[in-house]
Amino acid sequence: MSGPHTLTVEAGTGDLRAADHRLRALADELALDEGWFGCTHLVRGDRPRVALSFSAPSRSLLSTVRQRLADRGYEVSPGAPDAVGRAVLYPGVARLTGTVTVAEVLSASAIVRVAVLGEPGPPPPDRRLVTRDHVRPEWRGGELVLAAMPAAGGTLVPFEVPDPTPCCADH
């Protein structure tokens, strides 16, 4: 997500999980409300890392937060690193816990579409999604889209797992 009300914060991490924690901690410290979006972005190139972006409902709110972050020593720049951020903070995220229907996901949050891996069309509104209390949609073409996959009993689960096993953990 990018736009006139977005800024990038260098998170100082190369790890998504640590970036999630940093984003949530900053959102709490800054008392960001339901109207904000907070995303993580994988930045490649000479210095691979995870950056954060915050998008505000208004330019004046963003200006205040930009100053507060700079006062805390964070490197802050205008805009987002890319247009495909992974949303951690977004309107309705707090309501996506336990098991919910696809219709509830779409009506209670900023997510506008659920895309199921291996299925050609959208899932029916009454299909259940076991959230595992970890719902991380991504920006695709300006829309917040949740990638999900089929699970036991005809349910869905978000594609991203809450506690992924690190690569090579078993050796």
Side-chain angles (χ1 to χ4, degrees):
M1 173 175 198
S2 65
H5 308 307
T6 303
L7 59 81
T8 293
V9 179
E10 289 301 327
T13 183
D15 174 80
L16 278 176
R17 189 171 178 175
D20 279 10
H21 290 291
R22 175 94 26 93
L23 188 146
R24 287 188 177 281
L26 285 172
D28 288 345
E29 288 173 32
L30 298 167
L32 303 184
D33 66 19
E34 273 272 319
W36 287 79
F37 288 86
C39 298
T40 59
H41 302 262
L42 298 174
V43 180
R44 292 167 174 75
D46 294 342
R47 193 172 58 107
R49 64 199 183 283
V50 180
L52 310 178
S53 71
F54 289 100
S55 296
S58 75
R59 187 179 306 274
S60 62
L61 286 174
L62 190 68
S63 179
T64 301
V65 166
R66 176 188 313 233
Q67 187 59 52
R68 291 175 65 196
L69 287 165
D71 290 347
R72 285 177 167 81
Y74 285 96
E75 183 182 330
V76 181
S77 57
D82 57 36
V84 292
R86 174 184 158 274
V88 176
L89 173 69
Y90 51 94
V93 66
R95 292 185 287 281
L96 300 181
T97 60
T99 300
V100 295
T101 65
V102 169
E104 290 169 326
V105 169
L106 301 177
S107 67
S109 76
I111 297 170
V112 299
R113 189 163 48 94
V114 176
V116 181
L117 301 176
E119 295 184 10
D126 62 344
R127 192 154 179 199
R128 294 176 302 129
L129 174 79
V130 180
T131 68
R132 302 178 292 202
D133 300 339
H134 187 85
V135 181
R136 300 291 189 267
E138 293 182 346
W139 289 101
R140 295 185 191 170
E143 294 182 325
L144 201 55
V145 178
L146 176 64
M149 55 189 182
T155 63
L156 298 171
V157 293
F159 178 73
E160 184 177 323
V161 296
D163 295 310
T165 303
C167 177
C168 308
D170 61 342
H171 47 122

